[in-house]
Amino acid sequence: MKKANNLDHRPVWMEGGDIFLIDQRLLPHTRSILRASNTPEVVAVIREMAVRGAGTIGVTAGFAVAQAALQAGTNGFWEQVSRAAEQVNAARPTAKNLSHAVARVFSSMRAEADVEQARRRAVTEAQAFYDENVRMTEEIGRAA
């Protein structure tokens, strides 16, 4: 991601098990970073429109599924992640990028039999979704 004036301009990113977002409700006058540490916090960020734009909403949703995978216990892992995915989908039911990201990350995890491998796959897939969105946005910018 490019920086201007030494500022990182990613609208959303994941560090460890936390999701960080620029609170887009405050732009352009204030740049404030929100930290979402669990599914209810991510759902609130999406519902309250602190994150905006189809791509950014989708990326946030993908990271939310990965976050849920990292936080879920081993016993009942799939049920916990599935419940979190449902909650994220319900945050903005008409957002197509959101539902696509949730389905993509969750289904990529299902390809893994081992819980630890599923956790790693979720994070990898969510980051890949982010990277693809960045590339598409840059291509659109160049074509404009």
Side-chain angles (χ1 to χ4, degrees):
M1 179 55 65
K2 295 182 179 160
K3 294 184 179 187
N5 298 326
N6 246 359
L7 293 176
D8 189 339
H9 289 285
R10 295 176 293 176
V12 60
W13 65 96
M14 190 168 181
E15 288 181 21
D18 292 327
I19 300 169
F20 295 86
L21 314 100
I22 295 175
D23 188 342
Q24 296 180 11
R25 299 169 296 189
L26 304 177
L27 294 175
H29 303 292
T30 304
R31 185 175 188 272
S32 176
I33 304 298
L34 299 172
R35 178 182 188 168
S37 298
N38 55 48
T39 300
E41 290 177 4
V42 177
V43 167
V45 162
I46 294 169
R47 278 198 179 129
E48 295 167 8
M49 296 187 68
V51 59
R52 298 178 184 175
T56 306
I57 293 167
V59 167
T60 302
F63 282 149
V65 175
Q67 178 185 63
L70 291 173
Q71 294 177 353
T74 303
N75 292 332
F77 174 81
W78 292 109
E79 294 80 13
Q80 292 171 57
V81 177
S82 179
R83 195 170 330 120
E86 290 170 8
Q87 292 170 359
V88 173
N89 268 329
R92 199 164 306 158
T94 60
K96 296 298 180 196
N97 283 40
L98 181 150
S99 59
H100 172 69
V102 168
R104 177 175 160 175
V105 174
F106 189 77
S107 65
S108 76
M109 294 170 55
R110 290 301 249 173
E112 304 294 342
D114 178 72
V115 168
E116 290 308 315
Q117 290 176 342
R119 290 183 211 279
R120 285 190 294 276
R121 173 66 75 93
V123 172
T124 300
E125 193 66 30
Q127 186 61 50
F129 189 79
Y130 170 86
D131 293 341
E132 290 168 17
N133 272 272
V134 168
R135 279 192 299 277
M136 285 188 292
T137 301
E138 288 173 347
E139 288 174 20
I140 289 168
R142 281 191 294 275

